[in-house]
Amino acid sequence: MSARSQAQAPGEAGVTALAAPLAERVALVTGSTQGLGEGIALALAVAGASVFVNGRSTAKGDAVVRRLGARGAVVRFIQADLTRRDEAFRLVQTAAADRDRLDILVNNAQITPPLIEAEDARTDGALEQALASGLYASLWTAQAALPWLVRSGRGRIVNVASINGAFGSRYGAAYNATKEAIRGLTRTLANEWGRHGIAVNAVLPAGLSPAYEAFYRDDPRRAQAVERANPMRRHGRPLEDIGAAITGLVSDEARYITGESLYIDGGAHLHGLPQLHPPGIVFQ
């Protein structure tokens, strides 16, 4: 299956097959104006949740609201730059106050730094950027959401990590270190906040991100070889594979799962990243 055909799937096949286990719940998905974040937001909306999407660009936010609206999903966009603590808190408070509740937080926002060898002095700046947009943003939004999640009685946090971090993909020291730190944060929050009935988990997806779609266009032969290296012979679709799995993870049926790192990658982690995998290309 080509990247183009897989990328179209989130708006077509699989939508009606999803159940509605999240009725009357409110969800916030950060970094959700494209790619996997958009697929996650759509899956949660189809499952019955009231969904807020987020990004730094208002133009992209308006566009994703239109795209999801055309597929029957009612979502609202809130602009915020999550590299700033005050903006992260404003985002959460705006979403929660609008519906007077917040039940689900999905931290998907992450700036992907450029490819840099670990010994390059520019790694310092790349790490600061990656940490602020990923690790710090995930902590800040969780802190802001905590009172609302406690009040919910069935609060859920899902932090998006990366198989790139788990297997140390080349030239991505800043990104990989940040994503692995997010997994550490996930376990700590699960340990501390479990007493409130809040489940906190991380996911490591292998899905068709915008970067991977570009890779398919630029080097289709190599991209197909990478795909064949996956045990399921394809990459995940943002809605039916990644979004649907996260929908299950935040449902009542998964209430007793916390502190886990869930690979949603078709088994790619069983072999690690193949050597054919292009350095710096992430599945987010």
Side-chain angles (χ1 to χ4, degrees):
M1 180 179 289
S2 69
R4 180 172 178 80
S5 63
Q6 287 198 38
Q8 289 175 334
E12 299 170 0
V15 175
T16 56
L18 293 174
L22 304 180
E24 301 182 357
R25 271 178 254 190
V26 176
L28 169 62
V29 184
T30 71
S32 48
T33 59
Q34 63 180 0
L36 298 193
E38 179 177 346
I40 294 166
L42 178 56
L44 295 176
V46 170
S50 297
V51 178
F52 290 87
V53 294
N54 154 259
R56 291 177 294 164
S57 167
T58 299
K60 287 185 177 181
D62 292 342
V64 76
V65 168
R66 289 193 297 271
R67 286 196 300 272
L68 298 188
R71 294 168 177 148
V74 179
V75 301
R76 178 184 169 189
F77 171 73
I78 305 174
Q79 188 279 335
D81 179 357
L82 299 184
T83 63
R84 295 172 46 187
R85 187 177 190 274
D86 62 331
E87 286 281 282
F89 272 73
R90 178 184 63 81
L91 167 66
V92 173
Q93 294 302 331
T94 300
D98 187 84
R99 295 288 190 271
D100 194 33
R101 68 180 300 145
L102 182 65
D103 306 278
I104 300 161
L105 171 64
V106 180
N107 281 312
N108 182 64
Q110 177 72 67
I111 295 174
T112 303
L115 299 181
I116 302 174
E117 293 181 331
E119 65 269 27
D120 192 311
R122 292 174 297 166
T123 297
D124 290 355
L127 182 58
E128 290 177 5
Q129 182 185 56
L131 287 171
S133 62
L135 177 63
Y136 293 167
S138 297
L139 174 60
W140 293 333
T141 55
Q143 289 173 331
L146 177 60
W148 296 96
L149 298 178
V150 172
R151 177 180 169 186
S152 166
R154 51 186 179 183
R156 304 285 187 271
I157 298 175
V158 177
N159 295 321
V160 178
S162 172
I163 63 173
N164 294 66
F167 294 101
S169 62
R170 295 170 292 164
Y171 315 130
Y175 179 87
N176 296 342
T178 296
K179 288 301 190 181
E180 285 298 276
I182 286 173
R183 288 214 282 169
L185 173 66
T186 298
R187 290 189 292 270
T188 297
L189 296 184
N191 205 8
E192 292 186 8
W193 295 354
R195 67 184 187 276
H196 301 301
I198 299 172
V200 188
N201 292 287
V203 295
L204 294 82
L208 280 167
S209 66
Y212 228 97
E213 290 176 27
F215 174 48
Y216 267 96
R217 291 192 298 270
D218 297 340
D219 195 347
R221 181 173 297 181
R222 188 178 176 195
Q224 289 167 9
V226 173
E227 202 168 58
R228 287 194 298 271
N230 185 298
M232 298 195 78
R233 302 299 188 267
R234 65 178 179 85
H235 293 311
R237 291 180 287 267
L239 170 64
E240 296 92 330
D241 297 319
I242 314 303
I246 290 175
T247 295
L249 192 57
V250 300
S251 70
D252 285 343
E253 286 71 20
R255 66 175 68 86
Y256 204 54
I257 299 173
T258 194
E260 289 296 324
S261 291
L262 176 65
Y263 287 92
I264 313 175
D265 64 354
H269 67 281
L270 298 173
H271 307 294
L273 290 177
Q275 289 301 308
L276 290 167
H277 185 278
I281 299 297
V282 299
F283 297 96
Q284 185 176 359

